[in-house]
Amino acid sequence: MVVRRATAGGAGLRRISRPLLRLVAVALSAMLAVAAWQVTDRPRHSAPPSTVSGADAPAAIGDVLGRTTSISSPLSAAPPGATLIARTAGVRLLAHGFIDHYGVGSAARSAPPGRRLLAFTLEPRPGEAADAPETEPVLSIRIGAVERGPLVISKDYLVAAVPTGITSSSAGSSSAASSSAGSDGVDLVLTEDGVRQSISLLTGRPNSDRLLVCTRLHRWVGSATPDKGTPADNPRDVTMKVTRADGTSGMTSGTITVESASLSYWAQNLSHPPDRRSAFLHVSANVKLAGDKVGYGAEAALLHLRLPDGTVVPAVNAAANPGEDIDNVFTVPATFTTGTISYAGSISSGLGSQSVVGPVAVPVAIPAG
């Protein structure tokens, strides 16, 4: 094979060796591969060019519920806070909106008769107690009284066909009860541990069944983060009266330290508060008495929390193995910011009893938001 090449002395011919040809072919293939990646990996919120118009594309069959890499028009960005968080995984709605058709060329499809096409995009989010998704979120789409799934998160667009009577202005009925007959909402539903929460795919706003505490920015304080708020006035002195089973008793002293406080919806034993606008406040309180080499977790029966409105909440040990571990929790509003932990009262067992001589109070605060 020969190619023409311009030289200082004028036009000429130069033969390219076969090894060099192979190198050129490999380089050209690599350039084409990069070009192809740049085309197919375009931002998914832009509408790729299509050779078929919405009017020309044949109608899809049924309610569709599929994935595509191409849609006819850009989607609207979801509003801030369009996020659902469960125990091990979560999801964020990125964009949503109605489109005329999806797909390219012979694969293009328009809405079935009596329906509109609704497209949306998602991304996974970490669960309540993780820095990264631990599991694939269990997702479905609820259209009126019908729910279908599971949905799988990918870089593609998700497309569903919904009745033409459903519009963005009809999203007011989307709520925790939108699966009831006659509802005209369209919702993304996240389910885990029997707890269901949802976002309207018409407005992008979370419904009233969302777990409020799971989307808070500030949910933890501890002695290692004084700049982010920390339990104050630690440690506190404590005096205990100890009575043995044989009736002999004595006094001892020590300290109690509230080492950390955090908010969550789930406890270690997978229990959770009774409603979506409540949370568990976990308090790590350590008691160390004279002569003890190490401290121990304060017993739940001796801990109470006083809220700013005067409500007093008892602690519950919600550890997965309460005989060996302690996870002291208080049921509080999901918007909790301040309260006072009191260490007071008496407890008894087969070995005897112990009483706190003079209640001890330790304030605790978690930044709002």
Side-chain angles (χ1 to χ4, degrees):
M1 174 181 179
V2 295
V3 295
R4 186 172 301 277
R5 179 190 184 204
T7 64
L13 295 178
R14 182 174 66 87
R15 186 175 299 276
I16 299 179
S17 66
R18 290 186 179 275
L20 182 58
L21 285 175
R22 285 194 294 269
L23 289 175
V24 171
V26 170
L28 182 58
S29 297
M31 291 174 61
L32 291 175
V34 170
W37 179 86
Q38 290 173 339
V39 170
T40 58
D41 203 45
R42 62 170 59 84
R44 59 182 174 186
H45 299 312
S46 64
S50 174
T51 58
V52 177
S53 68
D56 296 332
I61 299 175
D63 54 7
V64 184
L65 193 58
R67 295 187 298 176
T68 181
T69 58
S70 177
I71 57 175
S72 60
S73 57
L75 302 179
S76 299
T83 302
L84 301 174
I85 303 297
R87 185 173 60 86
T88 64
V91 62
R92 179 187 174 197
L93 176 66
L94 297 177
H96 62 111
F98 289 105
I99 59 173
D100 292 329
H101 69 279
Y102 63 91
V104 178
S106 61
R109 293 292 183 270
S110 59
R115 294 177 179 267
R116 303 179 69 191
L117 295 175
L118 178 65
F120 55 99
T121 55
L122 309 170
E123 73 173 6
R125 301 293 294 168
E128 180 182 67
D131 295 327
E134 296 179 3
T135 61
E136 183 76 19
V138 179
L139 301 172
S140 58
I141 183 172
R142 184 170 57 207
I143 304 173
V146 179
E147 187 170 333
R148 288 189 57 194
L151 303 180
V152 178
I153 298 179
S154 73
K155 291 185 177 181
D156 297 335
Y157 301 94
L158 291 164
V159 179
V162 304
T164 54
I166 292 179
T167 64
S168 297
S169 62
S170 69
S173 64
S174 273
S175 68
S178 62
S179 61
S180 60
S183 170
D184 56 0
V186 181
D187 302 316
L188 174 70
V189 181
L190 171 64
T191 304
E192 185 171 350
D193 294 333
V195 177
R196 296 158 61 79
Q197 43 185 327
S198 61
I199 291 177
S200 169
L201 288 173
L202 302 178
T203 66
R205 293 191 296 268
N207 293 319
S208 60
D209 59 357
R210 180 172 67 161
L211 304 179
L212 187 60
V213 69
C214 292
T215 55
R216 278 189 59 162
L217 177 62
H218 303 294
R219 294 195 292 123
W220 183 86
V221 294
S223 57
T225 57
D227 59 323
K228 297 182 180 179
T230 181
D233 300 324
N234 276 315
R236 287 294 188 93
D237 293 333
V238 62
T239 300
M240 304 288 292
K241 179 180 180 181
V242 179
T243 303
R244 298 185 179 89
D246 61 7
T248 59
S249 64
M251 306 291 287
T252 185
S253 61
T255 59
I256 180 171
T257 304
V258 176
E259 298 175 334
S260 66
S262 63
L263 292 165
S264 77
Y265 187 74
W266 280 274
Q268 290 181 11
N269 63 3
L270 303 187
S271 62
H272 55 74
D275 63 80
R276 309 303 176 94
R277 302 188 67 80
S278 295
F280 279 150
L281 173 67
H282 303 249
V283 172
S284 175
N286 187 67
V287 177
K288 187 175 182 181
L289 300 178
D292 292 340
K293 293 183 179 180
V294 295
Y296 60 90
E299 298 86 348
L302 299 179
L303 293 174
H304 289 76
L305 171 71
R306 181 178 291 275
L307 298 176
D309 64 359
T311 302
V312 176
V313 183
V316 174
N317 184 5
N321 183 6
E324 299 291 337
D325 303 316
I326 291 179
D327 179 21
N328 288 327
V329 302
F330 303 90
T331 301
V332 299
T335 54
F336 172 90
T337 55
T338 61
T340 301
I341 302 295
S342 67
Y343 184 62
S346 301
I347 57 172
S348 300
S349 69
L351 299 177
S353 65
Q354 62 182 39
S355 303
V356 181
V357 179
V360 178
V362 182
V364 62
I366 295 179

